[in-house]
Every structure is written in C-alpha cells, then in structure tokens.
Amino acid sequence: MYENHLNNIIEASKVIQSGGLVLFPTETVYGIGANALKDDAVEKIFEAKGRAQDNPLILHISDMDMLPMIAKNISELEYRLMDAFWPGPFTIILNKKPGIAKAATCGGDTVGVRMPNNKIAHDLIKCANVPIAAPSANISGRPSGTKLEDILEELRDKVNYIIDGGECDIGLESTVVRVTGDEVKILRPGKITKEDIQKIVDDVEVDKNVMGQLEEGERVLSPGMKYRHYAPNTKCTLVYSEDSDKIVKEILKIAKQYKKVLILTSDENADNYKEYECIKVGSNKNLPQISHNIFSILRKIDSYHVEKAIIEGVKPEGLGLAIMNRLIRACEHDYLQL
Ligand code: TXA
Ligand code: MG
C-alpha cells in the first residue's frame, strides 16, 4: 500500500512548500497541514476550519533536527519527555523561536510541537522539509476526522491536496502537556496517559479543565479548552458509574422520558437496551477500540434524528480519561456521575 502513496507525498509536499493546504493522516486523527513558516499559508487553515483566532496550532516535525527551527531554551526534562514519547501521540508546549508564522502561535510566546509516528505524516514533513502546522481535520466545533469518508464532504473544497491513509489508529488527538520547572501538566489527555508520564517524572498533574467546566472569564493554559467541541446538534447526556448495573438502570430511566432516543452502549451492555435504537462503541474492556471508533460514531448521531442521545461513560483513568474528556464536551457537560 505504501508505494502508492509515494507520489502523493511528493505532490503534497510541493503543495505545502508553495503555501497550500494538505489533508493528511496521522496516527491520532487527520490533520489540515500548512507550511508553519509561512504566515499566509497558516492563515488559510483558520479560514478553512472557521477556527477562533486565539487558538494556536500544533507544529509537526519529522526529526529532532527540525526542533531548533521552532523552539528554544528547552529543559532537560522536556528533552526526556520528547525522547520517551516521540515519535508518537504527544505534544509539548515549548518556548517559541522567531520565524514561525505568527498565526500558528496566535502571537503568543509558546509553540506546541509534536513528532507524529504515522509513516505518511512523517514522510510528508520530511519531504516538504519544513515544520507543518496542523490542527485536527474538522470544521471547528465538530468531532475530529479519523477517516476520510467522514470529513470529505465538509473539507474537500477547502484544501488543495488530500492523502488517504485509511482509518487513524488511535482515533483521539494527541496528549498535550506543558512543563513548569519539575512539574508536568496535562492540558489535553490522550493515548499517552498520566501513568505513562509518571514513569518519566513524579510530578504530573491533570489540568482541572480536563474534566471540569470553565468558569465565566477564566484564563486557560490551552485555548482549545474554551470552545464548544465535538458536540452533535442532538442533545446528548453522558452517564457513568463504577457499577455497570447503575449505568444501565439510569439510562433506561432517562430513555423512558423521550419518544425517540439513541443509546451509545458498550458491547457488554447492549442487550439491556434492546427496545431502543443503539450504536455499539466497542468493548468496555478494550478502551483502544472505543477511542478508535468514538469520533466517527459521534458524527453519526444526528443522522438518527432522535430527541436525545444517551452515552455510556467509561472509567476516567488511563486512556479512559481521554475518552471521557471528549465525551463530556460532546454532551456539553450534561454528565451524570452516579
Ligand atoms: O493529535 C493531534 O494533536 C492532532 C493531529 C493532527 O496532530 N492535532 C490537533 O490539533 O488536535 P488541534 O489544533 O485540533 O488541537 C491543538 C490543541 C488545542 O487545544 C490548542 O489550544 C492547543 O493544542 N495548543 C496548541 N498550541 C498551544 C500553545 N502554544 N499553548 C497552549 N495550547 C496550545
Ligand atoms: Mg481540534
């Protein structure tokens, strides 16, 4: 399969170099990429997505020798984290170097950097020979795109080149962290978990906004936390308890209140909801499977035309924290924890 992509990568890298936009796969989600050193190229990303002007982008590099082009004053701990988790689904906020497109950092002093481990993404960056600024591939507010068929309609006319890499393996965006002194703060949870990072450094904290709701006017470390995200037009409610029977009972109780509901259920609980329309998200013993599927499923909810979608939560630990972070936003914080 890869040989077929070689031509695409060469063509796509020319598009990047000449200031165009490329839709490309990574191991997390699809990205909309532009040359991170060109202001007008990066500005096109904001236009294409309808993205808020104060929400900075992640810069993607293929190799460590690209890092000095974009970041400076990197600490020993920051190097250790990059060494442990790159290439991979891990973004670190660093002090930025001059030369990066102003739009990419929204004029701030810091820059988010990630080295993806998807081969197409890696080769595209290497071939373009510049860092690529790339947000998730979706119109702002919508779930991120994890397979081309989900996003072609909304993005086809907004980019200059498309590389099809099949379904993204992980299905959720990268873990975003910021280091202050000896402390690592997780600003957005992902496949690289708190527990993974604790193997490198003792002091790891999860930002309170990962599961909580922002207060009016509150300052955030990562602007992406402020915005409505992932939510379908259908109103959704998230239900979680450590006791699976309690989840089922509560969901059946809510379901009775509506004429038409949709239930997003684990494979294990599906039999309890036989009289209702359901989508199985995967096994609750297999969180990577749920993370792989979830955005594509969230995108389908509106097509069921129901009054209410009720979603079973997962244990908010490890990869489950990343899944719950996205689901809470999809439900606009309508979350019942029993
Ligand atoms: O997996 C991923 O990270 C995907 C793929 C394409 O690599 N990209 C992605 O980008 O999810 P985006 O733009 O959808 O999300 C980037 C997040 C936003 O929440 C943004 O606010 C935060 O990272 N971010 C980026 N630069 C930042 C900075 N300098 N300081 C704080 N937060 C930053
Ligand atoms: Mg995004």
Side-chain angles (χ1 to χ4, degrees):
M1 166 175 135
Y2 188 71
E3 272 174 19
N4 297 333
H5 284 301
L6 224 97
N7 265 337
N8 293 338
I9 284 167
I10 293 166
E11 286 306 311
S13 67
K14 287 184 198 153
V15 171
I16 295 283
Q17 282 167 343
S18 62
L21 300 187
V22 173
L23 184 58
F24 70 101
T26 83
E27 72 276 29
T28 56
V29 298
Y30 273 81
I32 304 177
N35 181 346
L37 307 180
K38 270 195 178 183
D39 241 317
D40 52 345
V42 174
E43 277 164 16
K44 288 182 198 161
I45 295 180
F46 285 79
E47 244 168 73
K49 286 192 57 138
R51 185 180 177 100
Q53 296 292 333
D54 67 347
N55 193 6
L57 303 176
I58 295 171
L59 270 49
H60 298 69
I61 59 174
S62 56
D63 302 274
M64 280 315 259
D65 54 12
M66 267 190 191
L67 191 60
M69 291 165 82
I70 55 179
K72 63 177 184 187
N73 302 338
I74 299 167
S75 71
E76 190 263 337
L77 174 54
E78 288 165 334
Y79 273 118
R80 256 196 292 147
L81 292 166
M82 293 184 254
D83 193 42
F85 302 120
W86 280 358
F90 182 77
T91 297
I92 185 162
I93 309 294
L94 299 170
N95 296 310
K96 78 159 187 192
K97 266 255 182 81
I100 304 171
K102 209 167 163 213
T105 58
C106 300
D109 298 331
T110 59
V111 60
V113 189
R114 171 162 113 82
M115 187 192 289
N117 76 3
N118 172 289
K119 180 147 177 60
I120 295 176
H122 172 272
D123 291 358
L124 173 64
I125 305 162
K126 182 121 188 138
C127 200
N129 201 25
V130 288
I132 293 183
S136 53
N138 54 278
I139 297 293
S140 281
R142 305 263 300 138
S144 306
T146 54
K147 48 175 131 158
L148 217 45
E149 66 200 64
D150 288 348
I151 46 175
L152 258 188
E153 204 178 292
E154 78 189 45
L155 295 175
R156 182 189 272 131
D157 299 335
K158 307 204 166 190
V159 297
N160 306 99
Y161 201 89
I162 295 172
I163 308 178
D164 186 356
E167 291 187 18
C168 298
D169 178 28
I170 297 168
L172 295 180
E173 310 90 335
S174 60
T175 306
V176 177
V177 305
R178 177 151 189 186
V179 176
T180 316
D182 292 331
E183 187 204 82
V184 177
K185 192 173 246 188
I186 298 178
L187 306 182
R188 180 176 71 182
K191 172 84 190 297
I192 304 295
T193 62
K194 179 179 179 185
E195 295 73 17
D196 293 330
I197 300 169
Q198 273 169 334
K199 289 182 191 141
I200 311 295
V201 52
D202 293 331
D203 202 352
V204 186
E205 197 197 324
V206 177
D207 192 282
K208 72 178 183 40
N209 291 317
V210 161
M211 292 293 276
Q213 196 167 4
L214 269 184
E215 279 156 40
E216 187 106 354
E218 189 181 335
R219 246 190 100 239
V220 287
L221 286 172
S222 183
M225 291 182 185
K226 284 190 304 196
Y227 297 103
R228 182 173 186 270
H229 216 178
Y230 313 120
N233 291 324
T234 311
K235 290 284 163 228
C236 302
T237 298
L238 179 64
V239 180
Y240 177 71
S241 164
E242 297 233 345
D243 177 349
S244 183
D245 291 343
K246 274 195 186 161
I247 300 183
V248 172
K249 234 172 131 184
E250 183 67 24
I251 288 186
L252 290 172
K253 193 172 116 196
I254 299 171
K256 281 200 190 94
Q257 299 164 22
Y258 296 90
K259 276 204 225 58
K260 207 172 168 211
V261 299
L262 172 69
I263 300 172
L264 267 56
T265 169
S266 59
D267 297 349
E268 286 82 357
N269 284 347
D271 279 351
N272 297 291
Y273 310 122
K274 273 189 178 135
E275 54 189 295
Y276 299 101
E277 193 114 57
C278 288
I279 305 178
K280 288 187 198 168
V281 298
S283 164
N284 55 28
K285 295 188 188 65
N286 186 351
L287 294 183
Q289 186 187 29
I290 297 180
S291 113
H292 177 87
N293 293 336
I294 199 69
F295 280 149
S296 193
I297 291 174
L298 287 177
R299 281 177 167 271
K300 289 195 182 89
I301 289 179
D302 288 338
S303 70
Y304 283 77
H305 302 288
V306 294
E307 285 171 85
K308 179 72 139 184
I310 316 167
I311 306 177
E312 280 190 353
V314 298
K315 193 173 181 150
E317 263 177 34
L319 181 58
L321 183 68
I323 296 171
M324 287 296 272
N325 168 265
R326 306 321 190 264
L327 288 178
I328 283 175
R329 281 161 178 72
C331 295
E332 298 185 276
H333 295 274
D334 183 354
Y335 172 35
L336 286 171
Q337 194 186 0
L338 309 167

